[in-house]
Amino acid sequence: MAASVVTITSGKGGVGKTTTTANLAVALAEEGFKVVCIDGDIGLRNLDVVLGLENRIVYDLVDVVENRCRLRQAMIRDKRLEELYLIPAAQTRDKSSVSPSDMIRICDELRNEVDWILIDSPAGIERGFRNTIAPADIILVVTNPEVSAVRDADRIIGLVEAEEKGPVKLIINRVNPALIKRGDMLTPDDVVELLAIELIGIIPDDENVIISTNRGQPVAFEAKSKAGQAFKNIAKRLKGEVVPFIQLDDKGDFLSKVAGLFKQGGD
Amino acid sequence: MAGWGRTNKQSADEAKERLKLVLIHDRTDLTQEELAVMKNELLAVISQHVEIDPDGVRITMKQEGREQKLTADIPLKTTRRRKLG
Ligand SMILES: Nc1ncnc2c1ncn2[C@@H]1O[C@H](COP(=O)(O)OP(=O)(O)O)[C@@H](O)[C@H]1O
Ligand SMILES: [Mg+2]
């Protein structure tokens, strides 16, 4: 199977791109796929620490581009999951050391070897963004239910559409049911109505994300955490499964439309 | 629209209203003021040809999917038209 290239982007920083990339990589690898994730945030690398692989870096993306190593040598294999790899970003270089055509070439080289290539984008709409969008087959736009994050997501979606890339799908991260219940947070429906693109995931605001990031052990490893479960659901939707979205019940808790879905997904 | 003063409106509703306007501006490159000027110019041009009923005029910018759509609902004074015809 030729790999699909999935780029995770947002416009605004800090909305959860790197967290999403790491967790989707883990969730897809747990589904039995061979997954490579690429840190496209050159100069501000983070995917390595979120995945807990920071001590294993020898070569990075810029070393591959500048022919100091072969692609294989820059792929760090995760020890927890057989088929999960990371290509880290260079930390001491800037975005201009990689071009969109370098990214396309690297992804093309990987396409026949793996099932999924996930690319984490930097914040912004400059070179780094264009690098990560260039090879993408699917673009996941991450936003938070807040005015500035939604506005920046709209801008990114417009840019992606102008480049005729896509499909573009939306992930709403850090949804807080208690705030929604009080009327102090945009609902997922509001955000989807404003941005008018297809929704692929709703991730609750969950302290387990911070705890798991502290440990370098993405929350998708935790079958019982709400955020981990939500990431697993996105992985299933990416591979084509129909998974109902989590719903807010009248107590303000997350509930699944289909009873037992959480248990089922946690297997 | 909520003013600057305190309102009972929930903050999420305000966020949504504000975002709607901001997104129109971002997508069309038109500010609220420019939009108002355009509406007035539009009405002025139409008034040169037919008499419009100013109280019933509704010109709005609406979102349809990812497209912005300018909708004009401009009632005409038909009695006058008949007289002229
Ligand atoms: N669903 C969530 N619940 C709680 N904290 C989160 C969630 N998603 C992300 N975070 C936290 O938000 C911060 C920014 O996330 P990150 O993935 O680094 O964003 P980005 O890559 O878009 O800059 C991190 O501290 C991360 O742990
Ligand atoms: Mg990041």
PDB file of all heavy atoms in Angstrom, chain A residues 33 51 58 61 67 74 77 109-110 132 177 193 198 220 228 240 250:
ATOM      1  N   PHE A  33      -0.446  -0.299  11.706  1.00  0.00           N
ATOM      2  CA  PHE A  33       0.147   0.335  10.524  1.00  0.00           C
ATOM      3  C   PHE A  33       1.604   0.678  10.769  1.00  0.00           C
ATOM      4  O   PHE A  33       2.036   0.860  11.902  1.00  0.00           O
ATOM      5  CB  PHE A  33      -0.596   1.638  10.176  1.00  0.00           C
ATOM      6  CG  PHE A  33      -1.993   1.425   9.687  1.00  0.00           C
ATOM      7  CD1 PHE A  33      -3.079   1.767  10.483  1.00  0.00           C
ATOM      8  CD2 PHE A  33      -2.226   0.900   8.415  1.00  0.00           C
ATOM      9  CE1 PHE A  33      -4.378   1.587  10.034  1.00  0.00           C
ATOM     10  CE2 PHE A  33      -3.521   0.720   7.965  1.00  0.00           C
ATOM     11  CZ  PHE A  33      -4.605   1.063   8.767  1.00  0.00           C
ATOM     12  N   LEU A  51       7.090  12.525  22.030  1.00  0.00           N
ATOM     13  CA  LEU A  51       7.099  11.071  21.823  1.00  0.00           C
ATOM     14  C   LEU A  51       8.067  10.353  22.774  1.00  0.00           C
ATOM     15  O   LEU A  51       8.083   9.125  22.831  1.00  0.00           O
ATOM     16  CB  LEU A  51       7.499  10.750  20.379  1.00  0.00           C
ATOM     17  CG  LEU A  51       6.404  10.871  19.321  1.00  0.00           C
ATOM     18  CD1 LEU A  51       7.021  10.874  17.925  1.00  0.00           C
ATOM     19  CD2 LEU A  51       5.377   9.751  19.447  1.00  0.00           C
ATOM     20  N   VAL A  58      20.234  10.966  16.301  1.00  0.00           N
ATOM     21  CA  VAL A  58      21.586  11.058  15.741  1.00  0.00           C
ATOM     22  C   VAL A  58      21.551  12.010  14.548  1.00  0.00           C
ATOM     23  O   VAL A  58      22.241  13.016  14.521  1.00  0.00           O
ATOM     24  CB  VAL A  58      22.141   9.676  15.314  1.00  0.00           C
ATOM     25  CG1 VAL A  58      23.567   9.826  14.769  1.00  0.00           C
ATOM     26  CG2 VAL A  58      22.112   8.698  16.488  1.00  0.00           C
ATOM     27  N   LEU A  61      16.181  15.803   9.885  1.00  0.00           N
ATOM     28  CA  LEU A  61      15.635  16.071   8.556  1.00  0.00           C
ATOM     29  C   LEU A  61      16.610  16.850   7.665  1.00  0.00           C
ATOM     30  O   LEU A  61      16.760  16.543   6.475  1.00  0.00           O
ATOM     31  CB  LEU A  61      14.326  16.859   8.717  1.00  0.00           C
ATOM     32  CG  LEU A  61      13.494  17.116   7.461  1.00  0.00           C
ATOM     33  CD1 LEU A  61      12.987  15.809   6.859  1.00  0.00           C
ATOM     34  CD2 LEU A  61      12.307  18.025   7.791  1.00  0.00           C
ATOM     35  N   ASN A  67      22.182  15.555   2.473  1.00  0.00           N
ATOM     36  CA  ASN A  67      22.923  14.328   2.135  1.00  0.00           C
ATOM     37  C   ASN A  67      24.028  13.943   3.109  1.00  0.00           C
ATOM     38  O   ASN A  67      25.022  13.340   2.704  1.00  0.00           O
ATOM     39  CB  ASN A  67      23.508  14.434   0.712  1.00  0.00           C
ATOM     40  CG  ASN A  67      22.408  14.413  -0.325  1.00  0.00           C
ATOM     41  OD1 ASN A  67      21.505  13.570  -0.273  1.00  0.00           O
ATOM     42  ND2 ASN A  67      22.453  15.359  -1.250  1.00  0.00           N
ATOM     43  N   ALA A  74      18.020   8.459   9.517  1.00  0.00           N
ATOM     44  CA  ALA A  74      17.393   9.534  10.297  1.00  0.00           C
ATOM     45  C   ALA A  74      16.078   9.082  10.922  1.00  0.00           C
ATOM     46  O   ALA A  74      15.441   9.819  11.660  1.00  0.00           O
ATOM     47  CB  ALA A  74      17.161  10.754   9.419  1.00  0.00           C
ATOM     48  N   ARG A  77      13.498   4.464  15.429  1.00  0.00           N
ATOM     49  CA  ARG A  77      12.414   3.512  15.661  1.00  0.00           C
ATOM     50  C   ARG A  77      12.000   3.534  17.134  1.00  0.00           C
ATOM     51  O   ARG A  77      12.837   3.472  18.023  1.00  0.00           O
ATOM     52  CB  ARG A  77      12.809   2.097  15.262  1.00  0.00           C
ATOM     53  CG  ARG A  77      11.593   1.178  15.147  1.00  0.00           C
ATOM     54  CD  ARG A  77      11.933  -0.150  14.530  1.00  0.00           C
ATOM     55  NE  ARG A  77      12.733  -0.964  15.434  1.00  0.00           N
ATOM     56  CZ  ARG A  77      12.240  -1.610  16.488  1.00  0.00           C
ATOM     57  NH1 ARG A  77      10.962  -1.557  16.764  1.00  0.00           N
ATOM     58  NH2 ARG A  77      13.036  -2.306  17.261  1.00  0.00           N
ATOM     59  N   GLU A 109       9.997   9.072  -1.309  1.00  0.00           N
ATOM     60  CA  GLU A 109      10.914   7.974  -1.009  1.00  0.00           C
ATOM     61  C   GLU A 109      10.312   7.044   0.046  1.00  0.00           C
ATOM     62  O   GLU A 109      10.544   5.838   0.028  1.00  0.00           O
ATOM     63  CB  GLU A 109      12.240   8.567  -0.518  1.00  0.00           C
ATOM     64  CG  GLU A 109      13.440   7.669  -0.780  1.00  0.00           C
ATOM     65  CD  GLU A 109      14.745   8.316  -0.301  1.00  0.00           C
ATOM     66  OE1 GLU A 109      14.924   9.539  -0.525  1.00  0.00           O
ATOM     67  OE2 GLU A 109      15.554   7.586   0.294  1.00  0.00           O
ATOM     68  N   LEU A 110       9.513   7.613   0.948  1.00  0.00           N
ATOM     69  CA  LEU A 110       8.922   6.822   2.030  1.00  0.00           C
ATOM     70  C   LEU A 110       7.623   6.126   1.635  1.00  0.00           C
ATOM     71  O   LEU A 110       7.228   5.140   2.237  1.00  0.00           O
ATOM     72  CB  LEU A 110       8.613   7.735   3.229  1.00  0.00           C
ATOM     73  CG  LEU A 110       9.792   8.250   4.045  1.00  0.00           C
ATOM     74  CD1 LEU A 110       9.326   9.367   4.971  1.00  0.00           C
ATOM     75  CD2 LEU A 110      10.401   7.105   4.860  1.00  0.00           C
ATOM     76  N   THR A 132       5.489  21.918   4.782  1.00  0.00           N
ATOM     77  CA  THR A 132       4.750  20.759   5.288  1.00  0.00           C
ATOM     78  C   THR A 132       3.473  20.500   4.485  1.00  0.00           C
ATOM     79  O   THR A 132       2.998  19.373   4.434  1.00  0.00           O
ATOM     80  CB  THR A 132       4.381  20.931   6.786  1.00  0.00           C
ATOM     81  OG1 THR A 132       3.573  22.095   6.935  1.00  0.00           O
ATOM     82  CG2 THR A 132       5.622  21.047   7.650  1.00  0.00           C
ATOM     83  N   PRO A 177     -16.193  20.709  28.444  1.00  0.00           N
ATOM     84  CA  PRO A 177     -17.649  20.568  28.562  1.00  0.00           C
ATOM     85  C   PRO A 177     -18.258  21.464  29.631  1.00  0.00           C
ATOM     86  O   PRO A 177     -19.369  21.978  29.445  1.00  0.00           O
ATOM     87  CB  PRO A 177     -17.837  19.102  28.932  1.00  0.00           C
ATOM     88  CG  PRO A 177     -16.579  18.431  28.562  1.00  0.00           C
ATOM     89  CD  PRO A 177     -15.489  19.447  28.671  1.00  0.00           C
ATOM     90  N   GLU A 193     -19.702  25.221  12.094  1.00  0.00           N
ATOM     91  CA  GLU A 193     -20.533  26.140  11.312  1.00  0.00           C
ATOM     92  C   GLU A 193     -19.705  27.320  10.804  1.00  0.00           C
ATOM     93  O   GLU A 193     -19.813  27.714   9.640  1.00  0.00           O
ATOM     94  CB  GLU A 193     -21.682  26.647  12.194  1.00  0.00           C
ATOM     95  CG  GLU A 193     -22.679  27.522  11.449  1.00  0.00           C
ATOM     96  CD  GLU A 193     -23.639  28.225  12.415  1.00  0.00           C
ATOM     97  OE1 GLU A 193     -23.998  27.637  13.452  1.00  0.00           O
ATOM     98  OE2 GLU A 193     -24.006  29.380  12.116  1.00  0.00           O
ATOM     99  N   GLU A 198     -15.144  19.755   6.996  1.00  0.00           N
ATOM    100  CA  GLU A 198     -15.519  18.485   7.618  1.00  0.00           C
ATOM    101  C   GLU A 198     -14.757  18.263   8.934  1.00  0.00           C
ATOM    102  O   GLU A 198     -13.548  18.460   9.015  1.00  0.00           O
ATOM    103  CB  GLU A 198     -15.204  17.349   6.646  1.00  0.00           C
ATOM    104  CG  GLU A 198     -15.784  16.018   7.082  1.00  0.00           C
ATOM    105  CD  GLU A 198     -15.200  14.855   6.281  1.00  0.00           C
ATOM    106  OE1 GLU A 198     -14.870  15.074   5.093  1.00  0.00           O
ATOM    107  OE2 GLU A 198     -15.073  13.758   6.844  1.00  0.00           O
ATOM    108  N   ALA A 220      -2.350   8.589  23.917  1.00  0.00           N
ATOM    109  CA  ALA A 220      -3.032   7.540  23.151  1.00  0.00           C
ATOM    110  C   ALA A 220      -2.658   6.147  23.644  1.00  0.00           C
ATOM    111  O   ALA A 220      -3.350   5.166  23.367  1.00  0.00           O
ATOM    112  CB  ALA A 220      -2.714   7.679  21.655  1.00  0.00           C
ATOM    113  N   GLY A 228      -6.987  10.395  25.009  1.00  0.00           N
ATOM    114  CA  GLY A 228      -6.378   9.266  24.301  1.00  0.00           C
ATOM    115  C   GLY A 228      -7.404   8.565  23.424  1.00  0.00           C
ATOM    116  O   GLY A 228      -7.144   8.231  22.262  1.00  0.00           O
ATOM    117  N   GLY A 240     -10.794   5.163   7.577  1.00  0.00           N
ATOM    118  CA  GLY A 240     -12.058   4.984   6.873  1.00  0.00           C
ATOM    119  C   GLY A 240     -13.207   4.444   7.689  1.00  0.00           C
ATOM    120  O   GLY A 240     -14.307   4.262   7.181  1.00  0.00           O
ATOM    121  N   ASP A 250     -26.392  16.244  29.091  1.00  0.00           N
ATOM    122  CA  ASP A 250     -26.904  17.409  29.821  1.00  0.00           C
ATOM    123  C   ASP A 250     -26.204  17.651  31.151  1.00  0.00           C
ATOM    124  O   ASP A 250     -26.365  18.686  31.752  1.00  0.00           O
ATOM    125  CB  ASP A 250     -28.429  17.354  29.973  1.00  0.00           C
ATOM    126  CG  ASP A 250     -28.924  15.947  30.188  1.00  0.00           C
ATOM    127  OD1 ASP A 250     -28.841  15.169  29.228  1.00  0.00           O
ATOM    128  OD2 ASP A 250     -29.356  15.621  31.291  1.00  0.00           O
TER     129      ASP A 250
END
